[in-house]
PDB file of all heavy atoms in Angstrom:
ATOM      1  N   TYR A   3      84.357 115.938  95.130  1.00 98.00           N
ATOM      2  CA  TYR A   3      85.210 114.827  94.728  1.00 98.00           C
ATOM      3  C   TYR A   3      84.843 113.546  95.474  1.00 98.00           C
ATOM      4  O   TYR A   3      84.415 113.586  96.631  1.00 98.00           O
ATOM      5  CB  TYR A   3      86.682 115.174  94.963  1.00 98.00           C
ATOM      6  CG  TYR A   3      87.094 116.413  94.202  1.00 98.00           C
ATOM      7  CD1 TYR A   3      87.165 117.648  94.836  1.00 98.00           C
ATOM      8  CD2 TYR A   3      87.349 116.355  92.843  1.00 98.00           C
ATOM      9  CE1 TYR A   3      87.495 118.792  94.136  1.00 98.00           C
ATOM     10  CE2 TYR A   3      87.683 117.494  92.129  1.00 98.00           C
ATOM     11  CZ  TYR A   3      87.752 118.709  92.779  1.00 98.00           C
ATOM     12  OH  TYR A   3      88.069 119.841  92.079  1.00 98.00           O
ATOM     13  N   SER A  11      87.255  90.214  94.029  1.00 86.00           N
ATOM     14  CA  SER A  11      86.275  89.141  94.190  1.00 86.00           C
ATOM     15  C   SER A  11      86.952  87.826  94.561  1.00 86.00           C
ATOM     16  O   SER A  11      86.287  86.859  94.926  1.00 86.00           O
ATOM     17  CB  SER A  11      85.481  88.954  92.882  1.00 86.00           C
ATOM     18  OG  SER A  11      86.358  88.650  91.803  1.00 86.00           O
ATOM     19  N   SER A  61      80.184 114.260  91.060  1.00 98.00           N
ATOM     20  CA  SER A  61      81.540 114.662  91.434  1.00 98.00           C
ATOM     21  C   SER A  61      82.289 115.212  90.221  1.00 98.00           C
ATOM     22  O   SER A  61      82.123 114.735  89.097  1.00 98.00           O
ATOM     23  CB  SER A  61      82.310 113.472  92.019  1.00 98.00           C
ATOM     24  OG  SER A  61      81.715 113.035  93.227  1.00 98.00           O
ATOM     25  N   PRO A 122      96.192 117.170  94.455  1.00 97.00           N
ATOM     26  CA  PRO A 122      95.762 118.575  94.554  1.00 97.00           C
ATOM     27  C   PRO A 122      96.192 119.425  93.364  1.00 97.00           C
ATOM     28  O   PRO A 122      95.455 120.323  92.943  1.00 97.00           O
ATOM     29  CB  PRO A 122      96.439 119.060  95.853  1.00 97.00           C
ATOM     30  CG  PRO A 122      96.587 117.818  96.676  1.00 97.00           C
ATOM     31  CD  PRO A 122      96.918 116.741  95.677  1.00 97.00           C
ATOM     32  N   GLN A 161     110.810 114.340 104.590  1.00 95.00           N
ATOM     33  CA  GLN A 161     110.335 114.199 105.966  1.00 95.00           C
ATOM     34  C   GLN A 161     109.515 115.426 106.379  1.00 95.00           C
ATOM     35  O   GLN A 161     108.475 115.308 107.021  1.00 95.00           O
ATOM     36  CB  GLN A 161     111.527 114.020 106.913  1.00 95.00           C
ATOM     37  CG  GLN A 161     111.162 113.982 108.391  1.00 95.00           C
ATOM     38  CD  GLN A 161     110.216 112.850 108.747  1.00 95.00           C
ATOM     39  OE1 GLN A 161     110.288 111.771 108.178  1.00 95.00           O
ATOM     40  NE2 GLN A 161     109.327 113.093 109.691  1.00 95.00           N
ATOM     41  N   GLU A 165     105.569 115.561 107.665  1.00 95.00           N
ATOM     42  CA  GLU A 165     105.206 116.140 108.957  1.00 95.00           C
ATOM     43  C   GLU A 165     104.106 117.179 108.839  1.00 95.00           C
ATOM     44  O   GLU A 165     103.383 117.439 109.803  1.00 95.00           O
ATOM     45  CB  GLU A 165     106.445 116.756 109.613  1.00 95.00           C
ATOM     46  CG  GLU A 165     107.466 115.726 110.077  1.00 95.00           C
ATOM     47  CD  GLU A 165     108.683 116.368 110.737  1.00 95.00           C
ATOM     48  OE1 GLU A 165     108.677 117.610 110.901  1.00 95.00           O
ATOM     49  OE2 GLU A 165     109.627 115.635 111.091  1.00 95.00           O
ATOM     50  N   ASP A 197     115.432  94.829  95.719  1.00 82.00           N
ATOM     51  CA  ASP A 197     114.989  95.037  94.344  1.00 82.00           C
ATOM     52  C   ASP A 197     113.702  94.290  94.004  1.00 82.00           C
ATOM     53  O   ASP A 197     113.109  94.533  92.958  1.00 82.00           O
ATOM     54  CB  ASP A 197     116.094  94.660  93.341  1.00 82.00           C
ATOM     55  CG  ASP A 197     116.568  93.219  93.503  1.00 82.00           C
ATOM     56  OD1 ASP A 197     115.905  92.457  94.247  1.00 82.00           O
ATOM     57  OD2 ASP A 197     117.589  92.867  92.891  1.00 82.00           O
ATOM     58  N   VAL A 213     105.110 111.738 116.330  1.00 97.00           N
ATOM     59  CA  VAL A 213     104.407 110.948 117.334  1.00 97.00           C
ATOM     60  C   VAL A 213     103.158 111.674 117.819  1.00 97.00           C
ATOM     61  O   VAL A 213     102.096 111.059 118.012  1.00 97.00           O
ATOM     62  CB  VAL A 213     105.355 110.638 118.518  1.00 97.00           C
ATOM     63  CG1 VAL A 213     104.575 110.044 119.696  1.00 97.00           C
ATOM     64  CG2 VAL A 213     106.447 109.672 118.084  1.00 97.00           C
ATOM     65  N   LEU A 220      94.820 108.715 117.386  1.00 98.00           N
ATOM     66  CA  LEU A 220      94.313 107.639 118.240  1.00 98.00           C
ATOM     67  C   LEU A 220      93.269 108.174 119.224  1.00 98.00           C
ATOM     68  O   LEU A 220      92.236 107.533 119.458  1.00 98.00           O
ATOM     69  CB  LEU A 220      95.470 106.989 118.994  1.00 98.00           C
ATOM     70  CG  LEU A 220      96.481 106.207 118.147  1.00 98.00           C
ATOM     71  CD1 LEU A 220      97.619 105.691 119.016  1.00 98.00           C
ATOM     72  CD2 LEU A 220      95.818 105.050 117.411  1.00 98.00           C
ATOM     73  N   CYS A 236      99.337 100.174 110.061  1.00 92.00           N
ATOM     74  CA  CYS A 236      99.522  99.527 108.752  1.00 92.00           C
ATOM     75  C   CYS A 236     100.866  99.824 108.097  1.00 92.00           C
ATOM     76  O   CYS A 236     101.049  99.548 106.906  1.00 92.00           O
ATOM     77  CB  CYS A 236      98.374  99.923 107.817  1.00 92.00           C
ATOM     78  SG  CYS A 236      98.143 101.698 107.611  1.00 92.00           S
ATOM     79  N   ALA A 247     109.087 104.573 116.995  1.00 96.00           N
ATOM     80  CA  ALA A 247     108.164 103.514 117.404  1.00 96.00           C
ATOM     81  C   ALA A 247     108.108 103.387 118.924  1.00 96.00           C
ATOM     82  O   ALA A 247     107.023 103.289 119.509  1.00 96.00           O
ATOM     83  CB  ALA A 247     108.587 102.186 116.776  1.00 96.00           C
ATOM     84  N   LEU A 259      95.835 105.226 126.531  1.00 98.00           N
ATOM     85  CA  LEU A 259      94.888 105.142 125.426  1.00 98.00           C
ATOM     86  C   LEU A 259      94.318 103.735 125.348  1.00 98.00           C
ATOM     87  O   LEU A 259      95.067 102.760 125.213  1.00 98.00           O
ATOM     88  CB  LEU A 259      95.566 105.525 124.110  1.00 98.00           C
ATOM     89  CG  LEU A 259      96.106 106.960 124.041  1.00 98.00           C
ATOM     90  CD1 LEU A 259      96.722 107.228 122.675  1.00 98.00           C
ATOM     91  CD2 LEU A 259      95.017 107.971 124.339  1.00 98.00           C
ATOM     92  N   GLN A 266     102.844  95.303 112.123  1.00 94.00           N
ATOM     93  CA  GLN A 266     103.740  94.462 111.329  1.00 94.00           C
ATOM     94  C   GLN A 266     105.182  94.796 111.713  1.00 94.00           C
ATOM     95  O   GLN A 266     105.530  95.969 111.875  1.00 94.00           O
ATOM     96  CB  GLN A 266     103.531  94.717 109.837  1.00 94.00           C
ATOM     97  CG  GLN A 266     102.112  94.427 109.366  1.00 94.00           C
ATOM     98  CD  GLN A 266     101.893  94.791 107.909  1.00 94.00           C
ATOM     99  OE1 GLN A 266     101.584  93.937 107.095  1.00 94.00           O
ATOM    100  NE2 GLN A 266     102.023  96.066 107.577  1.00 94.00           N
ATOM    101  N   ILE A 283     111.120  95.731 124.398  1.00 95.00           N
ATOM    102  CA  ILE A 283     110.143  96.021 123.344  1.00 95.00           C
ATOM    103  C   ILE A 283     108.894  95.176 123.518  1.00 95.00           C
ATOM    104  O   ILE A 283     107.772  95.655 123.332  1.00 95.00           O
ATOM    105  CB  ILE A 283     110.779  95.799 121.957  1.00 95.00           C
ATOM    106  CG1 ILE A 283     111.764  96.931 121.658  1.00 95.00           C
ATOM    107  CG2 ILE A 283     109.707  95.729 120.870  1.00 95.00           C
ATOM    108  CD1 ILE A 283     112.422  96.852 120.297  1.00 95.00           C
TER     109      ILE A 283
END
Side-chain angles (χ1 to χ4, degrees):
Y3 302 99
S11 59
S61 296
Q161 175 60 35
E165 290 181 4
D197 57 11
V213 169
L220 293 176
C236 55
L259 298 181
Q266 300 175 119
I283 287 182

